[in-house]
Amino acid sequence: MSALQDQYGRTFRTLRVSLLQHCNLGCVYCVAGEDDLKQANAGKESLPVDGLLAMIGRLRDRLPLDTVRLTGGEPLLYPGLTALIRGIRAAGIGAVRMTTNGFLLERMAVGLKEAGLEALNISLDAVDEDVFFRMSRRHSVTRIIKGVDAAIAAGLRVKINAVMMKGINDCQLLPLLEFAFSRGITVRFLEVMAMGHLHDTAGRYLVSQEEILRTIGGHYRIVPEERAASATARYWTTDAGHRFGIIANESEPFCRDCDRLRLDSSGHIYGCLSSNQPITLQPHETAAEWDIKLREALGQKQALKFVGSDLSMLRIGG
Ligand code: SAM
């Protein structure tokens, strides 16, 4: 096992794999409009299941990886998804999780659980159909809620992720909280990040952790929990025992103990979301050559905070 570590003691324990650049929604934080989405959807072919498993297996041999999170683009559009999950589990990785928009989840949830998926983060930025349309350019709330319920019924651990954007969906903060509480699941609110077409304008839309807490605190008595090591979110609990989280990239950055490595759908790795410099791992390269590149990826991590990226998460993997 490699002793790869930087000056802050960081290494790579979690691998986020972007399975493809395609998506069936057109969320405002990922794409500037339909043309932008069309361009992403016409993007490069993804690595096939055996190619991905070969890369993940080699990375697992070099790193203390304990978790793989599948993302995209929209991972439920990836052909061979259940075979991939089975293969990752068979390679000895304990936790396989996924981030999805949930649009295709209702009929896939049981198969994903049977394949060995442990947990799902489902992106749902509004429970009101009109507001959801403003965020995603699609009408799909009812369908996604059915997906959420199917995933819970299948025994998957489910969390909701909602990016809060001022003037677009911030009116959904309490409705989303109530939706999650009614199902006994956790919702996490994300501060919007300066990525892709929002590189220079994200600040305009930022709903800060402080504002989120002020709104929720006006309706619930809340108590903060200790932040877990390497966690992206901080959590709070209400008097009734309901839990919610905030991923505060901007207000409370969590780079200092970040343990994430990203692999995109073409086989490039990234050590940090702030970096848009892909590093290419070639199958024919030796273990020593991969180690040099992994060290380079670790060197991409920011010391303190995310500094923006021209790449949208649709391409690098959210
Ligand atoms: N299609 C899947 C989904 O919707 O969950 C996975 C990929 S999508 C890029 C993953 C998530 O990244 C989004 O739902 C959103 O929570 C997050 N995301 C993308 N761009 C973001 C931004 N600029 N700021 C904050 N979060 C962002």
Side-chain angles (χ1 to χ4, degrees), residues 16 22-25 27-30 70-76 98-102 121-125 161-165 190-196 198 202 249 306 312-315 317-318:
R16 291 202 179 199
H22 310 186
C23 195
N24 39 10
L25 303 187
C27 299
V28 291
Y29 39 74
C30 273
L70 304 175
T71 179
E74 174 44 45
L76 296 182
M98 190 187 300
T99 300
T100 171
N101 61 33
N121 289 346
I122 302 174
S123 303
L124 179 65
D125 300 319
N161 279 350
V163 181
M164 285 291 108
M165 292 183 74
L190 282 75
E191 288 184 348
V192 67
M193 295 169 72
M195 297 195 71
L198 293 179
N249 271 290
F306 173 70
S312 148
M313 279 212 208
L314 183 67
R315 293 167 196 274

Side-chain angles (χ1 to χ4, degrees), residues 16-267:
R16 291 202 179 199
V17 185
S18 176
L19 299 183
L20 68 188
Q21 288 189 16
H22 310 186
C23 195
N24 39 10
L25 303 187
C27 299
V28 291
Y29 39 74
C30 273
V31 288
E34 294 293 346
D35 286 347
D36 200 4
L37 181 63
K38 262 192 214 135
Q39 210 188 337
N41 285 353
K44 286 200 186 105
E45 290 285 302
S46 300
L47 287 173
V49 172
D50 55 352
L52 274 176
L53 286 176
M55 292 202 77
I56 295 168
R58 279 192 75 179
L59 287 169
R60 192 262 345 261
D61 290 345
R62 316 235 53 78
L63 299 167
L65 287 184
D66 52 30
T67 306
V68 169
R69 176 170 293 280
L70 304 175
T71 179
E74 174 44 45
L76 296 182
L77 294 173
Y78 182 75
L81 181 59
T82 50
L84 179 67
I85 295 169
R86 280 183 215 284
I88 299 172
R89 292 298 305 269
I93 304 234
V96 183
R97 301 176 183 158
M98 190 187 300
T99 300
T100 171
N101 61 33
F103 188 71
L104 296 172
L105 191 56
E106 188 185 6
R107 60 186 168 83
M108 294 178 76
V110 170
L112 294 170
K113 172 73 180 170
E114 283 172 2
L117 190 75
E118 178 200 61
L120 274 176
N121 289 346
I122 302 174
S123 303
L124 179 65
D125 300 319
V127 286
D128 176 274
E129 193 70 72
D130 292 335
V131 182
F132 186 86
F133 182 80
R134 287 212 293 273
M135 286 298 281
S136 70
R137 301 185 173 98
R138 300 289 180 272
H139 291 288
S140 3
V141 167
T142 315
R143 196 167 158 160
I144 293 171
I145 290 177
K146 283 185 183 162
V148 171
D149 290 337
I152 296 170
L156 288 157
R157 198 153 50 79
V158 173
K159 288 191 196 120
I160 302 292
N161 279 350
V163 181
M164 285 291 108
M165 292 183 74
K166 193 157 275 176
I168 308 184
N169 73 333
D170 46 348
C171 61
Q172 292 293 289
L173 188 56
L174 294 171
L176 279 164
L177 202 68
E178 283 152 19
F179 168 78
F181 290 175
S182 74
R183 279 154 171 85
I185 56 179
T186 300
V187 56
R188 286 127 37 108
F189 299 103
L190 282 75
E191 288 184 348
V192 67
M193 295 169 72
M195 297 195 71
H197 76 104
L198 293 179
H199 187 253
D200 300 321
T201 53
R204 258 187 237 162
Y205 301 105
L206 179 72
V207 182
S208 68
Q209 170 163 274
E210 194 188 339
E211 291 171 274
I212 294 171
L213 287 175
R214 202 181 314 127
T215 303
I216 298 176
H219 292 80
Y220 297 89
R221 220 173 69 84
I222 52 176
V223 180
E225 293 178 9
E226 275 297 305
R227 176 181 177 267
S230 301
T232 51
R234 277 190 61 199
Y235 291 94
W236 286 259
T237 320
T238 68
D239 274 353
H242 294 302
R243 205 167 173 246
F244 71 92
I246 302 179
I247 304 183
N249 271 290
E250 191 55 37
S251 308
E252 204 172 326
F254 36 82
C255 297
R256 252 321 149 81
D257 56 0
C258 172
D259 66 0
R260 286 168 285 283
L261 174 68
R262 287 182 152 78
L263 173 65
D264 76 10
S265 55
S266 318

